[in-house]
Amino acid sequence: MNKKIKEAAVRLRGKCRADAGMVTSEYAMGIIAAVGFALVLYEVVTSGQVRTELQDIVKKALSARM
């Protein structure tokens, strides 16, 4: 009986110590990747052709009859 309790305690301790999250360096890399993606998206959206297309879409939406 005592052996079963010790084995259960060891299994429980192992599960409690499992790494379930990211470490600080992984957070930093995730933030850098997100900022890089945001910059690329910003550059695409503010480019001349895309800006013109977006303005045309907004103008059409605002001038639509209901």
Side-chain angles (χ1 to χ4, degrees):
M1 178 89 151
N2 195 16
K3 185 178 178 181
K4 288 184 179 182
I5 293 173
K6 285 183 182 181
E7 289 173 356
V10 169
R11 281 195 309 268
L12 181 62
R13 195 176 322 138
K15 289 184 179 184
C16 289
R17 291 183 181 176
D19 186 19
M22 293 192 304
V23 294
T24 304
S25 61
E26 291 172 330
Y27 279 117
M29 293 304 293
I31 290 171
I32 290 170
V35 169
F37 181 72
L39 287 173
V40 169
L41 185 61
Y42 177 76
E43 289 296 321
V44 168
V45 170
T46 58
S47 68
Q49 184 178 2
V50 174
R51 178 180 281 180
T52 303
E53 293 294 327
L54 288 174
Q55 286 176 346
D56 289 343
I57 291 170
V58 171
K59 286 178 186 176
K60 287 178 186 177
L62 293 176
S63 65
R65 294 184 122 182
M66 299 240 180

